[in-house]
Amino acid sequence: MELISSQRQRTDIPEKDWLDWKWQIQNRIKDEHELSDYIEISSDEREAISSCSQVFSFSATPYYLRLADKKDPNCPIRLQVLPRKEELSVRAWDREDPLAEESYMPVKGVTHRYPDRALWYLSHVCAVYCRFCTRKRKVSQSSGTPGLEDWQKALQYFREHPEIKEVILSGGDPLNLSDHKLDFLLGELKSIPHINQVRIHTRYPVTLPMRITSELCSVLKKHFPIYLVTHFNHPKELTPLVKERIGMLVKEGAVTVLNQSVLLKGVNNSVETLKDLFYGLTKIGIKPYYLHQCDEIFGSSHFRVPIEEGVELMKQIRGSVSGLSVPLYVVDLTGGGGKVPLPANYLEETKDSSYVFRNYKGDLYEIGF
Ligand SMILES: *Cc1c(COP(=O)(O)O)cnc(C)c1O
Ligand code: SF4
């Protein structure tokens, strides 16, 4: 516990509160005044907090803000959570709902795009509102959140569609639901014979790791196997508390934990940062799954990295990092086309009876067939 306590720099917060996820949620920082207890706000940030408030809420857990650099406005944690004036510039390609999730919605909260998988939006609350969020249009607002009646309709829909092999609990953050509700939902889903697997997409292990408790782990274990995909973007997010709670999730909850990151300019678009992130994840028991090209959500163009740069970064990572630690770089196609991989090209030339490849070091190799 020693390391964990040292992360808690404000001496007036008892450890019992600090490690209570509900306390963290109730005490989220939502305005400039509270924020100044944690960091020295720059004048640009100050202005953006008020000018962006109509566009997308600002909110962060005390835990997550503690990871931010007190002085540097370009700190990777600050960039992810604090509004910037660039969010107000909307470009021609920017969309309200880039993945057209609302138009693939047979039942409130359910996006059924791929025949075999359905995404289920269960909560509008997140511990932290990420400035690049694809669901900015709805997270933080209670209006789009399904209620109990909608849950029953969604479950009915899953039961009546045998082509659905997987349901992905998503949001907002599905771990914002109580253990009791999660237990109920997982039980219902697992009782549907054609459901092959259930997945949970959550950023709470990053922004609110104290949400992972022994009680939650027993619920998840009961419904084994559960696949949980979390969302770390920077090695600074891999704290001792995260390590401890991911360990619980894997050992006590018997959960398979994977990670999806978003490639974000200024946050993680360097070989060193991505290497540290991917190796750091594997070190604590998390398999890197996807690296996403940042979606064309309105007001996010300042985060977007050109695809050529992303491909080049991945090329440099492949070969110098264990294959186990390398995610797949993908783009989720604007308009609802689904995800497509963005592979690096290693094939230099196709000859009559051979292929010429360039390996990760830049050397040429010819193989026959
Ligand atoms: C990303 C996504 C999925 C899951 O895709 P995988 O490639 O299986 O991880 C499912 N449904 C929707 C609507 C999605 O956006
Ligand atoms: S945790 Fe996920 S859903 Fe919530 S704001 Fe961040 S990116 Fe959006």
Side-chain angles (χ1 to χ4, degrees):
M1 293 306 259
E2 192 194 337
L3 279 170
I4 293 160
S5 307
S6 69
Q7 270 175 255
R8 187 173 51 90
Q9 294 160 28
R10 257 179 59 168
T11 45
D12 55 338
I13 305 168
E15 184 167 75
K16 159 180 132 317
D17 288 339
W18 186 259
L19 291 175
D20 175 354
W21 72 275
K22 289 191 174 147
W23 182 91
Q24 290 278 343
I25 287 281
Q26 278 154 12
N27 288 279
R28 278 178 298 168
I29 291 90
K30 294 185 173 175
D31 64 35
E32 186 194 316
H33 176 68
E34 297 165 324
L35 189 59
S36 55
D37 282 350
Y38 291 81
I39 56 169
E40 292 170 23
I41 314 169
S42 70
S43 56
D44 274 2
E45 283 171 334
R46 195 180 301 277
E47 220 181 290
I49 291 167
S50 74
S51 61
C52 298
S53 64
Q54 293 305 311
V55 184
F56 187 37
S57 303
F58 159 68
S59 168
T61 49
Y63 163 83
Y64 194 69
L65 270 184
R66 271 284 159 252
L67 308 182
D69 190 287
K70 276 196 166 8
K71 294 187 192 302
D72 179 10
N74 293 323
C75 146
I77 303 293
R78 277 165 83 145
L79 289 177
Q80 291 186 66
V81 61
L82 287 182
R84 303 274 280 206
K85 62 177 186 311
E86 291 88 334
E87 287 178 25
L88 297 171
S89 77
V90 175
R91 294 207 188 164
W93 279 97
D94 288 358
R95 298 284 179 270
E96 278 283 316
D97 178 14
L99 310 182
E101 292 180 324
E102 305 296 330
S103 50
Y104 286 80
M105 203 167 270
V107 175
K108 188 170 174 186
V110 176
T111 300
H112 189 186
R113 164 167 312 124
Y114 300 106
D116 63 323
R117 282 158 280 174
L119 194 90
W120 196 6
Y121 182 88
L122 285 164
S123 160
H124 64 280
V125 178
C126 298
V128 165
Y129 293 123
C130 315
R131 305 321 297 176
F132 45 86
C133 177
T134 299
R135 300 200 184 115
K136 253 163 130 173
R137 67 183 185 280
K138 63 197 285 193
V139 300
S140 90
Q141 295 160 32
S142 58
S143 54
T145 312
L148 203 57
E149 239 174 70
D150 303 303
W151 282 14
Q152 292 300 353
K153 283 186 198 148
L155 287 166
Q156 193 56 27
Y157 181 82
F158 301 142
R159 284 188 204 102
E160 286 168 358
H161 286 78
E163 73 275 20
I164 298 178
K165 300 283 180 256
E166 181 177 53
V167 174
I168 301 170
L169 309 189
S170 184
D173 213 296
L175 290 192
N176 205 62
L177 300 178
S178 66
D179 294 344
H180 180 73
K181 285 183 175 153
L182 284 168
D183 190 19
F184 167 76
L185 291 177
L186 294 173
E188 290 294 306
L189 290 172
K190 290 269 175 165
S191 74
I192 304 173
H194 56 263
I195 301 272
N196 191 69
Q197 60 210 43
V198 176
R199 203 196 304 184
I200 300 176
H201 276 188
T202 168
R203 210 175 180 205
Y204 277 13
V206 186
T207 54
L208 188 68
M210 44 292 272
R211 174 65 185 97
I212 303 164
T213 58
S214 287
E215 293 74 28
L216 175 67
C217 290
S218 344
V219 167
L220 299 175
K221 188 172 189 174
K222 194 169 137 192
H223 302 287
F224 175 87
I226 295 292
Y227 296 87
L228 185 147
V229 182
T230 184
H231 179 177
F232 287 90
N233 285 332
H234 193 277
K236 264 187 115 168
E237 296 168 339
L238 298 166
T239 65
L241 183 64
V242 164
K243 182 176 179 216
E244 176 191 286
R245 300 301 168 107
I246 294 295
M248 272 173 75
L249 207 50
V250 173
K251 289 183 274 185
E252 289 183 34
V255 173
T256 299
V257 187
L258 304 124
N259 186 69
Q260 46 186 354
S261 305
V262 183
L263 184 59
L264 298 166
K265 193 194 277 179
V267 174
N268 59 14
N269 61 326
S270 83
V271 175
E272 277 317 306
T273 305
L274 289 176
K275 264 193 194 175
D276 288 350
L277 174 64
F278 300 152
Y279 260 145
L281 287 164
T282 341
K283 186 173 188 186
I284 62 168
I286 305 177
K287 160 84 184 96
Y289 175 48
Y290 280 144
L291 175 68
H292 288 268
Q293 176 68 9
C294 182
D295 292 331
E296 286 173 313
I297 184 73
F298 61 95
S300 72
S301 53
H302 57 297
F303 279 122
R304 225 160 291 129
V305 174
I307 287 181
E308 301 88 313
E309 185 186 330
V311 168
E312 189 50 39
L313 284 167
M314 287 309 293
K315 206 166 180 175
Q316 290 183 43
I317 281 165
R318 163 80 50 195
S320 60
V321 169
S322 159
L324 191 63
S325 305
V326 180
L328 186 66
Y329 180 36
V330 294
V331 59
D332 217 332
L333 299 173
T334 301
K339 296 180 205 25
V340 294
L342 295 168
N345 185 25
Y346 294 92
L347 183 62
E348 285 280 315
E349 199 184 343
T350 305
K351 296 185 176 174
D352 283 347
S353 61
S354 68
Y355 300 100
V356 181
F357 287 95
R358 193 177 290 279
N359 77 353
Y360 71 96
K361 287 180 180 163
D363 303 331
L364 292 174
Y365 286 81
E366 188 164 356
I367 65 161
F369 63 87

